[in-house]
Amino acid sequence: MNELHVSYEGRQYRFEGGQTVRIGRSTDNDVVVSDPTVSRQHARLAWGADGWVLEGLGRAGTYLAGSLVTRLPLAGPVELSLASPHGPVVRLEPARPATAAAAPQAGGAPAGADGLAPAAAGPVPGVTPGDGALVPPAPVSPGAPFPPATGPAAPAPPGGWGAGAPPPGTPAGQAAPFRTAAMPRSPVPPRLGEAAAEARDELASAVQILVPVRSWLNDPGWRQGLRLLVIAYALLPLVFLALFASSGNLTTPGWAYSLYVAPLWGVAFWLLIRPPEPNGKRELLLGLGIVIWVMIWMSIVTVSVNSALNPRGLAGALLVGFNEEITKALPILVAALALLKLRSVKLDVRMWMFLGTVAGLIFGVREASQYTTLAIERIAAGALHHSANTAVVGALSFAYRVFVDGFQHAIWAGVAAFFIGIAVNYPRRRVPLIAFGVTIAAVLHALNDWYLSNFSSPWPWIVLQAFSLLLFLGYTMSAASIEREVRRTPLFRGESMIMEKFTETGEQRRA
């Protein structure tokens, strides 16, 4: 019975004598070691006169007890590391030791427990790591000489020298270095085609380790929103060029880039306002309903009212300001009252504030698509008349509308929505609170438009923007504490004052 048992990563293989067993990374091997550092055809095991013998084929190398081996007769179980001393481990175990390897030499030391012939306790002269098969040391008595070999000499290996014949060039009278037929001087150099294949395998393995595309594609981190957002924002401008390059509608760039920027402001507002953990689906539906409301109301009501008004002067600017701020505030109020009356649900004031910024962002996107048309026309006029100043102003106006228009509408709508949330949750001063919040937003809006139309210097407008930002950021920081104070103050608790008046009038009539 000349079986060979091979174990790798818990898998067991059994081979009969006379078979050739191939080990390597390629899937056509008998024992497949799927490690990128292992050679495609790494090693071969064959049955011969001395039993099972392992021969190294690949350039990566095979190691026994940390030392490189290229040819090794198997006289007992061994564990070999592939590609490096710390590489994948393969266990080779013959069913029984080969007769020639197990029989003790006449007059020599007996075989060791592992079936291999014992060696001297110190280093063997003439043997260097990697120069052939490793002979593991076996314990010997202190001071005992190396046992002389007797009996017939081993046949000379290829190359013309072995245990009984000194190598060419050995001086007369000098002992020949100890070598056996299982320990050739150096590995047989691979043929040219095999060397090229090994080089390609090594390059493929290096690329697989350093650029693990398959591992990246299977990584669950792709499902994280931030990575998806980065991909979208890196590729969308290129997609815009591909889709809209032939468009003749000047509103297209305004729509595209305003919608491109708005989600970034939305993320920033969420982080600033920090609303409590949302229900998710409910808030998503509310946000979608608010977006649809604003878009429809702007097209049907807001634009028509603005066209009928005379926006010149501060009074006209105030009317336009109230018209546009009511457009953004009305869906917040309707959604809050509907949720309260139909579901008896009160959302946190900060959530209503965030939803107000959503209404402002979509309003700004819709408005920017119109104003960016004027900016593009100014850029074209500057190019036509070779006026760099006109073209620069047009480019800056386009950038302002795309990046800032939605933002400034959002901060005004967020302030108004904060007061709407307070009014819905604490109804005693409901109407004054709603009116106060919408008025603050409308006045800031009107002053912004008036400054833009009547002042050549941008500094008053910048100061107004800074003040609007101060109010918004102040409410984002103190929204929770203001709501706690409102809850504790009797001035804001109880039923609506208007409802109380209606109740008192009805009681007086009945009396």
Side-chain angles (χ1 to χ4, degrees):
M1 181 179 179
N2 301 314
E3 289 184 354
L4 173 68
H5 296 169
V6 181
S7 304
Y8 169 66
E9 287 191 344
R11 295 192 293 271
Q12 305 288 331
Y13 304 86
R14 184 175 64 84
F15 302 98
E16 299 288 344
Q19 288 184 264
T20 299
V21 182
R22 296 174 301 164
I23 301 174
R25 194 179 73 250
S26 178
T27 55
D28 60 355
N29 286 288
D30 301 293
V31 178
V32 178
V33 181
S34 55
D35 188 285
T37 61
V38 174
S39 297
R40 189 166 55 90
Q41 302 293 338
H42 195 95
R44 178 174 57 215
L45 288 146
W47 175 261
D50 296 329
W52 288 98
V53 178
L54 177 131
E55 294 182 20
L57 301 177
R59 297 174 63 185
T62 303
Y63 295 82
L64 173 63
S67 297
L68 178 67
V69 295
T70 56
R71 190 173 186 276
L72 177 66
L74 301 183
V78 293
E79 291 188 349
L80 301 176
S81 300
L82 307 185
S84 75
H86 305 289
V89 175
V90 176
R91 179 177 175 83
L92 310 177
E93 185 175 355
R96 63 184 180 87
T99 305
Q105 299 289 335
D114 57 359
L116 299 175
V124 179
V127 178
T128 56
D131 205 9
L134 179 70
V135 181
V140 296
S141 302
F146 190 86
T150 61
W161 66 281
T170 304
Q174 179 177 330
F178 177 78
R179 292 186 182 272
T180 68
M183 299 169 64
R185 180 181 294 274
S186 61
V188 178
R191 289 179 295 179
L192 184 60
E194 294 177 353
E198 283 296 325
R200 287 195 300 270
D201 289 341
E202 289 180 358
L203 179 60
S205 298
V207 171
Q208 183 178 349
I209 292 170
L210 299 176
V211 191
V213 176
R214 184 180 299 176
S215 173
W216 291 343
L217 294 177
N218 295 326
D219 197 307
W222 290 113
R223 293 192 289 271
Q224 294 180 5
L226 182 59
R227 287 188 175 88
L228 296 176
L229 193 65
V230 168
I231 293 172
Y233 274 82
L235 299 181
L236 274 178
L238 303 178
V239 174
F240 293 161
L241 284 174
L243 295 179
F244 306 135
S246 59
S247 174
N249 189 343
L250 292 182
T251 64
T252 300
W255 273 112
Y257 282 96
S258 296
L259 287 171
Y260 178 81
V261 172
L264 294 179
W265 284 124
V267 172
F269 291 141
W270 180 270
L271 297 175
L272 285 170
I273 297 170
R274 300 187 304 278
E277 191 68 27
N279 174 274
K281 183 179 179 181
R282 178 179 60 203
E283 283 77 10
L284 184 63
L285 292 175
L286 285 173
L288 182 61
I290 288 167
V291 168
I292 294 172
W293 177 297
V294 170
M295 293 294 293
I296 295 174
W297 191 274
M298 282 186 73
S299 300
I300 297 175
V301 179
T302 310
V303 174
S304 301
V305 172
N306 280 351
S307 300
L309 296 172
N310 179 14
R312 295 171 183 255
L314 185 57
L318 277 171
L319 292 175
V320 171
F322 272 102
N323 180 39
E324 296 189 359
E325 292 307 318
I326 288 172
T327 300
K328 295 179 281 184
L330 199 55
I332 304 297
L333 178 61
V334 170
L337 291 176
L339 203 60
L340 181 63
K341 299 299 181 184
L342 300 178
R343 297 296 181 90
S344 300
V345 173
K346 293 182 179 181
L347 296 185
D348 190 273
V349 170
R350 290 169 293 175
M351 181 57 72
W352 291 120
M353 190 177 184
F354 173 74
L355 292 173
T357 64
V358 172
L361 281 172
I362 199 62
F363 188 100
V365 168
R366 172 70 170 76
E367 185 179 80
S369 68
Q370 303 300 319
Y371 283 110
T372 50
T373 301
L374 302 176
I376 294 171
E377 290 174 348
R378 182 172 290 184
I379 295 171
L384 181 64
H385 297 95
H386 303 286
S387 173
N389 179 260
T390 302
V392 167
V393 171
L396 292 174
S397 298
F398 180 88
Y400 158 70
R401 290 296 177 181
V402 165
F403 287 101
V404 182
D405 208 336
F407 168 76
Q408 65 182 12
H409 279 288
I411 62 175
W412 295 330
V415 171
F418 170 79
F419 285 97
I420 291 173
I422 292 286
V424 170
N425 290 351
Y426 306 96
R428 182 170 178 80
R429 307 285 175 178
R430 178 171 289 171
V431 174
L433 284 170
I434 294 172
F436 183 65
V438 173
T439 299
I440 290 177
V443 169
L444 292 172
H445 190 154
L447 289 174
N448 175 81
D449 293 352
W450 184 60
Y451 280 141
L452 281 176
S453 302
N454 294 276
F455 290 87
S456 58
S457 173
W459 293 109
W461 175 50
I462 293 173
V463 171
L464 178 68
Q465 288 288 338
F467 180 73
S468 300
L469 206 54
L470 172 67
L471 280 180
F472 176 78
L473 293 176
Y475 283 119
T476 62
M477 292 185 290
S478 59
S481 60
I482 291 175
E483 186 175 14
R484 283 195 299 270
E485 290 297 325
V486 167
R487 191 184 301 118
R488 287 198 295 260
T489 304
L491 178 66
F492 297 99
R493 293 205 304 266
E495 294 297 328
S496 169
M497 295 179 66
I498 294 179
M499 294 304 299
E500 288 179 358
K501 292 294 182 182
F502 280 129
T503 304
E504 291 174 3
T505 304
E507 289 176 352
Q508 290 173 358
R509 288 176 179 175
R510 285 196 295 273

